[in-house]
């Protein structure tokens, strides 16, 4: 819900921003969003149920949680703004590529990140220049030899 609250706030601070919303199929928070949007007067949004890729292709930035969509966003030229509150134990692939994204822990940092994307600040361009290395980190080597590398790593640590 904090991610939705941050989206509502950024629409208030940046009134020209139009929000394209696509919820994860395991977390369709449409009712929660509609309630928050109505309470805040947020009307510049549309909820989508179709493919994510066309939305990323036409968007300047995407606000998301801990998800692998970060890689898809980068590949489509859309700046990932990752809302991550810093849980102690998490599966957030974006944490490995902090230099290529905006990592936000609260609403204010989300609003600032969107502003940086809109204004195309130096920080925005620094993150974009890190995208090729970030994608390489996320995908490592797509050579079909993942099991061999895992076996070698586990053997070197005396796990196997």
């Amino acid at each position: 819900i904090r991610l939705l609250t941050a989206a509502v706030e950024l629409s208030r601070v940046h009134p020209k921003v139009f929000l394209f919303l696509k919820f994860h199929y395991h977390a369709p928070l449409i009712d929660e969003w509609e309630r928050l949007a109505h309470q805040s007067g947020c009307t510049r949004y549309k909820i989508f149920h179709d493919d994510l890729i066309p939305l990323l292709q036409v968007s300047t930035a995407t606000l998301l949680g801990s998800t692998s969509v970060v890689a898809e966003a980068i590949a489509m030229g859309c700046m990932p703004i990752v809302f991550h509150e810093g849980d102690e134990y998490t599966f957030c692939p974006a944490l490995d590529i902090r230099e290529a994204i905006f990592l936000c822990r609260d609403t204010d940092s989300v609003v600032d990140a969107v502003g940086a994307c809109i204004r195309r600040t130096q920080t925005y361009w620094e993150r974009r220049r890190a995208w090729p290395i970030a994608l390489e980190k996320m995908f490592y080597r797509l050579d079909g030899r993942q099991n061999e590398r895992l076996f070698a790593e586990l053997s070197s640590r005396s796990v196997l």
Side-chain angles (χ1 to χ4, degrees):
I1 298 296
R2 289 187 180 132
L3 178 61
L4 299 181
T5 303
V8 165
E9 178 62 11
L10 80 86
S11 72
R12 187 189 66 74
V13 174
H14 299 291
K16 293 185 179 181
V17 168
F18 192 93
L19 302 173
F20 297 149
L21 302 170
K22 177 150 181 19
F23 295 98
H24 193 281
Y25 56 92
H26 287 307
L29 301 172
I30 295 169
D31 291 342
E32 290 84 347
W33 170 260
E34 296 284 357
R35 181 181 51 76
L36 284 170
H38 179 74
Q39 288 173 350
S40 67
C42 176
T43 59
R44 294 183 52 80
Y45 71 91
K46 179 168 176 46
I47 297 173
F48 290 84
H49 303 283
D50 298 326
D51 190 20
L52 178 64
I53 298 301
L55 297 176
L56 295 173
Q57 289 173 324
V58 299
S59 298
T60 300
T62 182
L63 175 59
L64 41 92
S66 300
T67 173
S68 62
V69 172
V70 168
E72 294 170 84
I74 290 172
M76 294 297 112
C78 181
M79 179 62 72
I81 300 172
V82 179
F83 188 82
H84 180 74
E85 295 180 283
D87 302 29
E88 188 174 317
Y89 185 73
T90 184
F91 294 106
C92 182
L95 296 179
D96 294 333
I97 58 163
R98 296 169 194 246
E99 67 281 357
I101 64 168
F102 284 92
L103 185 61
C104 302
R105 297 195 184 280
D106 56 36
T107 299
D108 290 341
S109 58
V110 168
V111 170
D112 292 345
V114 170
C117 292
I118 291 169
R119 293 186 311 279
R120 301 288 203 271
T121 64
Q122 180 178 343
T123 303
Y124 169 87
W125 289 112
E126 288 169 359
R127 283 167 169 65
R128 278 199 65 129
R129 282 191 293 276
W131 285 0
I133 293 168
L135 287 175
E136 190 175 311
K137 276 184 183 178
M138 290 187 82
F139 292 116
Y140 191 56
R141 285 180 257 158
L142 298 177
D143 60 6
R145 300 180 67 186
Q146 301 87 336
N147 289 340
E148 288 177 42
R149 287 191 297 276
L150 177 60
F151 180 79
E153 180 65 24
L154 293 176
S155 294
S156 73
R157 294 175 186 235
S158 300
V159 174
L160 296 177

